[in-house]
Amino acid sequence: MEIVPLLMGAALGGGLLLVVMGFRTLTNKALDDDARKRGFWPLNAGLMLACISMYLFATAG
């Protein structure tokens, strides 16, 4: 069993979890503006992680 596809799948799943966490923080109206803006960090990091993982799936696949 190869470990590389498992790692790429875990990276994709982790990236999507970060996207969901960041989006939930951005849309939470109970938080003040500064706290909501901090949701961009996990959102952007998750998007980058998911994109890198999908690129590696396509090229190394």
Side-chain angles (χ1 to χ4, degrees):
M1 185 163 111
E2 292 191 29
I3 191 91
V4 175
L6 291 173
L7 291 175
M8 288 190 292
L12 179 62
L16 293 179
L17 282 175
L18 283 171
V19 168
V20 169
M21 288 171 44
F23 188 72
R24 286 186 64 204
T25 303
L26 282 173
T27 58
N28 189 356
K29 298 291 183 182
L31 298 175
D32 62 340
D33 251 2
D34 290 333
R36 284 181 34 213
K37 286 180 185 177
R38 277 180 269 166
F40 279 115
W41 287 101
L43 179 74
N44 291 336
L47 285 174
M48 288 188 330
L49 189 60
C51 288
I52 290 169
S53 176
M54 287 187 286
Y55 174 76
L56 290 175
F57 267 126
T59 58

